Every structure is written in C-alpha cells, then in structure tokens.
Amino acid sequence: METVTIETRADFAQWAIERARAIVADQGGNLALAARDMQDDKIAETGNALGQAIVDAMLEVFDGLAPEE
C-alpha cells in the first residue's frame, strides 16, 4: 500500500473513499458470490474477510496518526 500524507479532513476523506473502493473491489465480489450461492459457511468466511480488511485499514490510518517515538 502506498504511503499517503493526510494533513486535512479532505485528505482523510479522499483516502477513506479510495481505500473503501479498494476493499470492496477486493473483498465484495467474494461475499456477493457466496450470498448468491446461499453458502452460509462461505458467507461467514467472506464477511469476516471483508470486516478484517476494514479493521486493517482503520488500524493503518490510526498507526499513521500516532506520534513517532
């Protein structure tokens, strides 16, 4: 993932939009296919993967906000 400098609220909003788009493109299709096929185990698995990708993105930006020691 490319390093982005976030200095303003608008910068953060743009990062969030781009990151959300990437997450949905990467994870959303698998979830949609599992739902279409009504495979409960795959729905749970792909839903969890989508959730983990969101958590990872939020931690990524949080870690960037932490002051360097």
Side-chain angles (χ1 to χ4, degrees):
M1 184 71 19
E2 180 181 325
T3 300
V4 176
T5 301
I6 297 175
E7 295 179 352
T8 67
R9 187 178 184 106
D11 290 344
F12 179 76
Q14 186 61 39
W15 173 87
I17 290 167
E18 291 173 10
R19 194 69 179 103
R21 187 176 292 137
I23 290 169
V24 170
D26 187 47
Q27 302 290 331
N30 294 335
L31 181 56
L33 290 173
R36 181 197 68 190
D37 296 340
M38 298 189 313
Q39 297 176 335
D40 290 341
D41 58 331
K42 289 291 184 184
I43 292 170
E45 181 183 322
T46 56
N48 286 337
L50 176 60
Q52 187 62 52
I54 293 168
V55 168
D56 292 346
M58 295 298 100
L59 290 175
E60 174 186 324
V61 76
F62 179 81
D63 290 344
L65 296 174
E68 304 249 346
E69 294 183 26

